[in-house]
């Protein structure tokens, strides 16, 4: 098989594990960063990170890698010898990666998920910037802090875990967790229980609660929350309906869809239609990416350059 010449003027849209196995450094600006996921074609991280690398005069590039769930250990193992600086992880790798790290930062240990890996002295160091990125995104989009909000999180996977943990750490007024697999929501609520020891607020409504994925439960909770966060992949595909019924949405809500796409997701459209404030996941992508850049290079990220690249 011919060696893959990476970092040439024409980068491939998507690389694979097979490419990594025959990787051969050649170019002046080699690929030394990337995002691993499946699917990964939709990821805008390369646009954002390559703009930052260029702006900072760092002679390397960032690429997309389609890596299946079973391929992650082999792909990660190759990175130190291929002189990678780091990678981001997206669906479905964030939780599985935790046990593949040499060292795990507190942010990833607490979230139970890794979204940023830094490779240093042959070691894989796992971090999680999703929670902080989410918090900054909410402040930017809605001019409000998580501590002042009652939050309903849809999902209990890697992104939802980081978001829920951030809400807990920032002492949100309420946190309600809903997941298709109810047991996972319940388990996440149990893990976060110690953050919600203070008195209940708003009468009989518990500050922390896991609820089943059904319309009646959503209807009751929506009257008692300010922010609804979609942390499921529902919306990634153009034909996807909103993860919860459009008729549940109300004008008092802020709706944050962590999914970002070139067109409005069904959830965002429904929220706007209902008179709610709504934002998509681009701002979270920006802030989690900027925090990742800072981990890799120990320097401030050029936030405005990254934002412009995304828009
Ligand atoms: P995971 O695979 O770890 O988790 C997926 C979650 O979504 C699970 O809770 C799963 O429920 C739920 N889910 C999947 N399909 C459905 C469905 N059809 N209906 C209802 N629930 C469903 O993925 P991640 O947490 O890593 O990522 C989730 C999404 O978050 C990504 O697709 C991405 O769009 C977004 N994201 C955005 C970021 C940003 O910067 N904007 C950053 C990180 C993530 P169950 O447990 O029942 O299977």
């Amino acid at each position: 098989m011919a060696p893959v010449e990476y970092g040439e003027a024409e980068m491939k849209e998507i690389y694979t594990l097979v490419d990594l196995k025959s990787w051969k450094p050649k170019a002046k600006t080699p690929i030394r960063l990337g995002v691993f996921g499946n699917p990964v074609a939709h990821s805008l991280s390369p646009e954002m990170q390559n703009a930052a690398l260029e702006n900072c005069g760092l002679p390397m590039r960032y690429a997309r890698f389609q890596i299946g769930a079973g391929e992650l250990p082999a792909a990660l193992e190759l990175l130190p010898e291929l002189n990678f600086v780091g990678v981001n992880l997206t669906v479905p790798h964030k939780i599985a990666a935790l046990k593949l790290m040499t060292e795990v930062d507190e942010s990833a240990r607490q979230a139970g998920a890794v979204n940023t890996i830094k490779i240093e002295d042959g070691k894989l160091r796992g971090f999680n910037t999703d929670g902080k990125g989410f918090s900054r995104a909410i402040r930017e989009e809605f001019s409000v802090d998580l501590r002042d909000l009652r939050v309903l999180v849809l999902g209990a996977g890697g992104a939802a875990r980081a978001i829920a943990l951030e809400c807990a750490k920032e002492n949100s007024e309420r946190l309600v967790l809903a997941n298709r697999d109810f047991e996972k929501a319940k388990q996440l609520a149990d893990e976060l229980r110690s953050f919600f020891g203070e008195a209940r607020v708003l009468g009989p409504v518990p500050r922390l609660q896991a609820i089943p994925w059904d319309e009646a439960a959503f209807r009751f909770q929506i009257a008692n929350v300010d922010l609804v966060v979609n942390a499921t992949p529902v919306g990634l595909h153009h034909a996807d309906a909103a993860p919860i019924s459009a008729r549940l949405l109300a004008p008092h809500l802020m709706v944050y869809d962590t999914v970002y796409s070139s067109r409005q997701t069904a959830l965002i459209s429904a929220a706007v239609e209902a008179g709610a404030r709504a934002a998509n996941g681009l701002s979270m992508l920006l802030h989690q990416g900027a925090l990742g850049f800072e981990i890799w290079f120990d320097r401030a990220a050029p936030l405005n350059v990254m934002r412009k690249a995304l828009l």
Side-chain angles (χ1 to χ4, degrees), residues 6-238:
Y6 65 85
E8 298 303 319
E10 291 295 322
M11 273 186 17
K12 278 169 69 170
E13 269 300 308
I14 297 182
Y15 294 87
T16 64
L17 176 60
V18 175
D19 293 330
L20 274 179
K21 284 182 173 165
S22 52
W23 209 243
K24 189 157 173 277
K26 272 216 164 169
K28 272 197 240 148
T29 53
I31 293 168
R32 294 181 60 199
L33 289 155
V35 53
F36 285 4
N38 188 20
V40 78
H42 68 282
S43 173
L44 292 180
S45 290
E47 281 74 9
M48 170 176 75
Q49 296 292 359
N50 283 324
L53 291 168
E54 198 178 333
N55 179 265
C56 295
L58 294 163
M60 63 184 80
R61 285 192 274 175
Y62 182 114
R64 287 179 195 86
F65 293 84
Q66 173 127 4
I67 303 290
E71 297 175 325
L72 186 66
L76 290 179
E77 202 177 296
L78 288 167
L79 297 183
E81 68 194 69
L82 298 180
N83 209 18
F84 269 60
V85 172
V87 284
N88 287 126
L89 301 179
T90 183
V91 190
H93 300 310
K94 290 181 186 183
I95 295 175
L98 200 65
K99 57 179 188 302
L100 302 173
M101 299 295 104
T102 332
E103 287 174 21
V104 176
D105 174 77
E106 184 69 358
S107 60
R109 192 191 58 73
Q110 281 191 316
V114 174
N115 82 324
T116 303
I117 299 175
K118 179 173 186 171
I119 295 135
E120 235 175 2
D121 305 327
K123 292 182 187 155
L124 300 176
R125 298 179 57 206
F127 298 81
N128 195 308
T129 65
D130 277 339
K132 271 269 164 300
F134 169 74
S135 168
R136 291 184 184 184
I138 293 300
R139 198 170 309 128
E140 183 174 295
E141 299 285 4
F142 302 123
S143 307
V144 62
D145 289 328
L146 288 178
R147 67 164 180 270
D148 296 321
L149 295 175
R150 301 167 300 167
V151 185
L152 166 61
V153 178
L154 307 176
R161 290 184 63 87
I163 287 169
L165 175 68
E166 196 62 29
C167 292
K169 288 205 289 200
E170 296 195 23
N171 201 19
S172 290
E173 280 190 32
R174 281 195 81 206
L175 179 60
V176 182
L177 304 169
N179 195 48
R180 208 170 45 169
D181 174 350
F182 176 62
E183 279 309 311
K184 279 201 221 163
K186 210 160 141 298
Q187 191 191 324
L188 181 54
D190 287 343
E191 288 174 37
L192 298 176
R193 187 93 37 214
S194 62
F195 289 93
F196 291 86
E198 288 168 29
R200 291 173 169 209
V201 292
L202 304 175
V205 189
R207 283 192 69 206
L208 175 67
Q209 197 174 357
I211 61 162
W213 189 271
D214 71 51
E215 184 154 339
F218 287 138
R219 185 181 302 284
F220 176 77
Q221 293 301 335
I222 276 180
N224 291 286
V225 299
D226 311 298
L227 173 67
V228 175
V229 183
N230 175 33
T232 77
V234 179
L236 273 182
H237 301 291
H238 285 202

